[in-house]
Amino acid sequence: MPPALAAIEPFEICSIRPPTENYSLTFRLTRNCHWNRCKFCPVYKLGARFNRRSQEDVLEDIQRAKQIDDLLLDHGIIPGFAMGDPEAQVQDLLERIHAARETSSPENPETEDAADLPEDLDPRLAWFLTWFKDKPTLADSFQHILTWRKAGGQTCFLGDADGLILPPEFLIRTIHHIKAQFPSLLRFTIYGRTQTAAKLRSPAELLELRLAGLDRIHFGLESGCDTVLKFMDKGVCASEHIEAGLKTREAGLSCSVYVMPGLGGKQWSEIHARDTAAVLTRMAPDYVRLRSLEIFPRTPLEAAAQSGAFIEASETDLVREIRILVEETGCKTEFVSDSAANLLQINGRLPEDREAMLKQIDAYLILKPFEQKIFSVQARLMAFMGQYGGITADIGQFLQPYLRNNRLDFSHAGEDELDHIIRLIRSKLMP
């Protein structure tokens, strides 16, 4: 028998997840990051605290998600099959739930706490914090289930930052319970720290996770250069990166790693790229995902840049780094550029697509400096429109002086002007 409408509750959703999991069903097994010292990372730097959720809390969340899914199905809200607009149907259902709650508890109606953000907070961080919800609402939970169903209902991500920190039996029981409630799921993935995989988890434990249904671990490699890793306080070294990758592959798990061009700054740009390529060659991950560095406000890296301890690399420096990565990574893998922070969209499999990828990179590098800036403005605008669905009023107003016959013409702009435009657009993109 379905639960009363007033009894429907939200469940915790993973706001931070890989792009490949944007449309996955997600459950939080931990909250936030237990390391949380990386200089470049803005994610958990404004008050978030790490804690492990109890098995009972996680199982309760799974049950809440199942109740919402069943409620949608009971009301015929099935993406691709429903008559009418599923979004409007969900909104109508939510209104009925809120009305039922007010009837059952008239003195305690559901309210949503407004975000308490500092007045001087950088606009990009303010936008990010409204998107990162530690306590999702009932509407968020319904939208999450609906989005997952629209995408086919076959993938699940378990967060937050390092699922491997949990005992294997915790993960195994969780996966088994999710499978029982959502039998359409075909893929389970987690984030993991390479240091945790290398030092805390045995090959046998990783194999147990694969047999339970875990398919892929996403690792934040960032760099294979020990100098860069130490400066950024990653809490891991290159040899541990390699050990984690080898263990993961030995267990039959898919290994996806994130690499961050620019993380070495001007001072370590080349060695950062070459050492990272060497680590990738040893690890042989299934996927290498490029995430070009963006220095976020209120991070330790911003402070290092302001003091002169870190000198930001240029966009062309980053492209040269990517060229080294593509040229020197000597294993079978797939490069994926799925971040708005990336200037070039470098995608392909190694070794078969290496030549084509290098040709694409060299086509940018042979441009004159002014032409490179024009290319960057155009590429950043395309990324912005893809992320925001068009040009926002503030960006449009700034671009107005460069409109000629309804087209943007930067041919008479100075290099400083172009640099300012590039920086402005990048400051509003979420990587």
Side-chain angles (χ1 to χ4, degrees), residues 61-80:
D61 262 6
I62 296 167
Q63 191 59 36
R64 289 180 175 187
K66 173 63 173 173
Q67 289 176 349
I68 292 173
D69 191 42
D70 286 346
L71 192 63
L72 291 175
L73 296 176
D74 289 343
H75 284 75
I77 306 175
I78 307 171

Side-chain angles (χ1 to χ4, degrees), residues 149-307:
R149 280 291 180 191
K150 283 182 177 179
Q154 296 184 339
T155 60
C156 181
F157 175 74
L158 305 175
D160 274 339
D162 183 14
L164 295 177
I165 198 71
L166 296 165
E169 55 270 20
F170 187 110
L171 283 167
I172 290 169
R173 186 182 178 194
T174 298
I175 292 172
H176 284 167
H177 194 72
I178 296 172
K179 281 184 171 182
Q181 300 300 318
F182 300 95
S184 67
L185 288 169
L186 300 178
R187 187 185 76 198
F188 287 82
T189 65
I190 60 171
Y191 271 135
R193 294 191 73 238
T194 52
Q195 204 271 346
T196 306
K199 300 305 178 187
L200 193 62
R201 293 289 154 246
S202 68
E205 288 174 325
L206 293 174
L207 177 59
E208 287 178 0
L209 293 178
R210 180 180 69 79
L211 294 175
L214 184 66
D215 296 284
R216 178 179 300 157
I217 304 176
H218 293 271
F219 291 112
L221 195 77
E222 325 306 358
S223 177
C225 175
D226 282 336
T227 300
V228 173
L229 292 169
K230 182 177 180 180
F231 179 84
M232 292 295 168
D233 205 4
K234 269 291 289 183
V236 67
C237 62
S239 63
E240 290 170 331
H241 279 336
I242 294 168
E243 184 180 354
L246 294 178
K247 277 185 175 180
T248 301
R249 290 176 55 235
E250 181 183 342
L253 290 162
S254 175
C255 180
S256 174
V257 303
Y258 294 83
V259 169
M260 193 169 285
L263 196 63
K266 277 281 189 185
Q267 56 266 60
W268 302 302
S269 179
E270 184 174 343
I271 192 172
H272 161 55
R274 295 195 187 284
D275 286 359
T276 301
V279 167
L280 291 173
T281 299
R282 295 281 305 280
M283 289 182 72
D286 295 287
Y287 300 97
V288 177
R289 301 185 180 279
L290 300 175
R291 289 283 181 281
S292 297
L293 174 68
E294 289 288 348
I295 301 177
F296 277 84
R298 300 200 179 196
T299 58
L301 187 57
E302 182 190 52
Q306 290 172 346
S307 72

Side-chain angles (χ1 to χ4, degrees), residues 119 140 149 321 326 368 377 390 396:
E119 292 183 1
D140 294 327
R149 280 291 180 191
E321 288 181 21
V326 171
K368 296 177 181 178
V377 170

